[in-house]
Amino acid sequence: MNNVVVRSISGTVFVIIMIACLLFNKFLFAGLLIFMMAVMLGEFYNITMGRMYTFSKVLAIMAGIILFILMFIRCSYHIPIRLVGLSMIPLFIVMINSLYVKDKDEYGKFSNIYTGLVYIAIPLALSNLIAFDKAGNFSGQLLLCFFIIIWCTDVGAFTFGISLGKIFPKKLFPEVSPKKTWVGFFGGVITAVLSAWILFETGVLKFPLVHSLILALIMSVSGVYGDLYESQWKRVYGVKDSGNLIPGHGGLLDRFDSTLMAMPLGAIYLALMDLL
């Protein structure tokens, strides 16, 4: 019971902070996403590389932050898109630095540096394309809708899994995440679609209803795969939680693993439908 209370309080506080940062102004949004990126990259590198190659990991985190800042400036102030390429400079330094590493026994771990950037930094940097319109005006409302759909998926999956898991115990992906069931999966999808319908009816999600529902479906399914993808990394390296930043919840990567896949795929769908 104490753990449930701690999870509830810490989760509520973090959600309030997120909502405030997404809705108040663009600089709070940027600060929030940069903080999340730095922490999640750090957690991923700690899982996959431990205490090795600290300098290279710091450079990689800097590369991700620079990419986010350049995308932020591009979307907000319309700097030339070619300047976003400056974010590659720290990455090239990482590559060059790897040549000077004396102990080559674990040299293959350097590939995890680039995996972290593709997996975490790029999706979060591209969130600027969701938060800004083509004229450079900031609105975190759509991004907040994305998070609400993802959160509702998690809540629905947990609720259906707990209440019906013993009746319908078939596992979704037992070799990666033994606790996840098919009934939880479908419960998450139903809850996500329902949340999109409510957001549409209340005027918060401003796309046509059919696109809103398809968006929720895409994000719900892809979010599950995002969760499983992170679980596989933790299982391979024998780690239970990515960190302990949020009491009762673990690390930020544990809480936003779904987002890293769901958010880009949701944005891609909207872009293909010419709605973004």
Side-chain angles (χ1 to χ4, degrees):
M1 180 60 67
N2 288 337
N3 187 51
V4 172
V5 172
V6 170
R7 284 174 60 90
S8 299
I9 294 174
S10 61
T12 301
V13 170
F14 194 79
V15 167
I16 291 173
I17 292 172
M18 282 196 63
I19 292 174
C21 290
L22 289 174
L23 297 183
F24 193 70
N25 67 45
K26 60 185 180 183
F27 297 110
L28 285 178
F29 152 75
L32 173 68
L33 269 292
I34 288 172
F35 171 77
M36 290 171 56
M37 178 189 294
V39 171
M40 285 195 280
L41 282 172
E43 291 176 348
F44 179 77
Y45 292 146
N46 284 336
I47 290 172
T48 58
M49 302 174 71
R51 297 180 180 275
M52 301 180 66
Y53 309 129
T54 301
F55 180 66
S56 296
K57 291 188 290 187
V58 171
L59 284 175
I61 293 172
M62 287 176 57
I65 292 173
I66 292 171
L67 174 61
F68 182 91
I69 292 173
L70 290 172
M71 286 298 299
F72 175 83
I73 298 173
R74 164 63 186 172
C75 293
S76 183
Y77 301 106
H78 295 101
I79 64 168
I81 189 65
R82 61 181 177 272
L83 294 181
V84 176
L86 292 172
S87 61
M88 291 295 292
I89 293 176
L91 191 57
F92 290 143
I93 296 175
V94 171
M95 296 177 186
I96 295 170
N97 174 67
S98 70
L99 298 173
Y100 294 92
V101 173
K102 295 181 179 180
D103 184 3
K104 303 292 185 180
D105 292 340
E106 299 290 339
Y107 188 74
K109 288 186 178 292
F110 266 92
S111 62
N112 291 325
I113 288 180
Y114 314 119
T115 300
L117 291 172
V118 173
Y119 172 38
I120 297 169
I122 291 178
L124 292 182
L126 293 179
S127 66
N128 285 287
L129 299 176
I130 304 170
F132 291 92
D133 62 21
K134 295 177 181 179
N137 300 309
F138 171 76
S139 173
Q141 184 170 303
L142 177 57
L143 200 57
L144 180 59
C145 288
F146 275 33
F147 281 118
I148 289 173
I149 291 171
I150 295 168
W151 292 335
C152 287
T153 299
D154 292 341
V155 171
F158 178 79
T159 303
F160 276 69
I162 289 294
S163 59
L164 299 176
K166 292 184 179 179
I167 302 174
F168 304 100
K170 187 173 178 59
K171 301 299 182 181
L172 176 65
F173 224 118
E175 61 270 30
V176 175
S177 186
K179 293 183 179 181
K180 286 184 171 56
T181 60
W182 277 103
V183 69
F185 169 78
F186 286 114
V189 171
I190 291 170
T191 310
V193 172
L194 180 61
S195 70
W197 176 75
I198 294 173
L199 290 170
F200 169 81
E201 289 294 335
T202 55
V204 179
L205 196 55
K206 300 183 182 301
F207 306 121
L209 179 59
V210 63
H211 290 298
S212 298
L213 299 182
I214 293 174
L215 173 67
L217 179 62
I218 291 173
M219 294 187 65
S220 178
V221 174
S222 59
V224 172
Y225 278 104
D227 190 320
L228 290 170
Y229 182 70
E230 194 238 1
S231 295
Q232 181 166 263
W233 280 101
K234 291 191 295 184
R235 181 166 290 272
V236 167
Y237 286 94
V239 175
K240 182 180 184 294
D241 295 321
S242 65
N244 55 10
L245 181 67
I246 308 175
H249 288 268
L252 277 189
L253 190 55
D254 293 323
R255 298 281 63 82
F256 291 95
D257 48 7
S258 302
T259 304
L260 296 173
M261 195 171 291
M263 185 170 64
L265 289 177
I268 289 171
Y269 171 75
L270 294 178
L272 290 175
M273 295 298 106
D274 198 26
L275 296 171
L276 188 62

